[in-house]
Amino acid sequence: SLTDGQKSQLQRIHLASRHLLKMIEEILSFSRIEAGREEVHLETIDVAELAVETCRLIEPLAVQKSLTFDYDGPTERLFIKSDGGKVRQILLNLLSNAIKFTERGGVSVRVTDEGQEVSLEVRDSGVGIAPDQLDRIFEPFRQATSTGPRRHGGTGLGLTVSRELARLLGGDISVASVPHHGSTFTFRVPAGER
């Protein structure tokens, strides 16, 4: 059996290893994209179920920071033809960023069926992004906030990789933000043949 101190240290080691793994995955994805070697593996996926599973995976990070975490999506299955691994990676990146840059308030996810495409929206009440930084945040190794210099960990590749993967799937990511009031990232992915 472990003492509370040992459990705490093991939890820190586990979180650090997950963080390092995420950084390595971002660098590898970026390398494959740059080399033109990233492949899309189309399959029929239930994007609502995928979103719920991804939210369950990331919600403990929000709880750990005392943030609210809300999900609003279809109660029925929502099938699309896409690359499930890439859709999950993009959503994980957007959610991780939302939690990382939010100190108070919360994070929410909304999944909407818009006919020819599905919209996955991640909204936070975090620091927001200055208007002159909105285009730059998708550049490699960038991390811009309305509060000035880079203060948060990471490679600065998450949004770059996410946008490139979204475009590889035939979709895109857009952002709307108000400094000191939060940001909304919207990932649109084609539904394909249903």
Side-chain angles (χ1 to χ4, degrees), residues 51-91:
V52 168
E53 289 172 359
T54 306
C55 287
R56 282 192 193 125
L57 189 69
I58 205 87
E59 186 175 13
L61 296 177
V63 170
Q64 197 171 43
K65 290 183 74 175
S66 300
L67 302 173
T68 62
F69 191 90
D70 298 307
Y71 172 79
D72 177 22
T75 54
E76 300 174 359
R77 301 183 137 218
L78 179 55
F79 291 106
I80 65 170
K81 192 94 164 177
S82 193
D83 186 318
K86 288 177 179 42
V87 171
R88 179 178 279 109
Q89 183 179 352
I90 293 165
L91 187 55

Side-chain angles (χ1 to χ4, degrees), residues 2 15 24-26 68 75-76 81 83 108 140 144-145 148 150 155:
L2 299 173
L15 288 172
I24 291 167
E25 287 173 355
E26 285 176 354
T68 62
T75 54
E76 300 174 359
K81 192 94 164 177
D83 186 318
S108 66
T145 68
R150 184 174 169 144
T155 60

Side-chain angles (χ1 to χ4, degrees), residues 99-169:
I99 292 168
K100 183 187 337 182
F101 291 101
T102 302
E103 296 302 322
R104 286 189 307 264
V107 173
S108 66
V109 179
R110 191 167 111 199
V111 178
T112 309
D113 183 355
E114 299 179 355
Q116 297 299 313
E117 63 184 11
V118 171
S119 167
L120 295 98
E121 180 183 278
V122 175
R123 182 182 301 249
D124 66 62
S125 61
V127 296
I129 304 161
D132 65 330
Q133 297 291 309
L134 287 175
D135 289 334
R136 300 173 121 188
I137 61 171
F138 292 102
E139 295 175 7
F141 309 108
R142 288 280 185 161
Q143 192 182 82
T145 68
S146 63
T147 59
R150 184 174 169 144
R151 300 180 326 173
H152 302 332
T155 60
L157 288 174
L159 287 176
T160 304
V161 168
S162 294
R163 180 175 255 183
E164 290 300 319
L165 290 177
R167 289 177 173 173
L168 200 59
L169 296 175

Side-chain angles (χ1 to χ4, degrees), residues 91-102:
L91 187 55
L92 269 173
N93 279 343
L94 295 178
L95 285 168
S96 296
N97 276 355
I99 292 168
K100 183 187 337 182
F101 291 101
T102 302

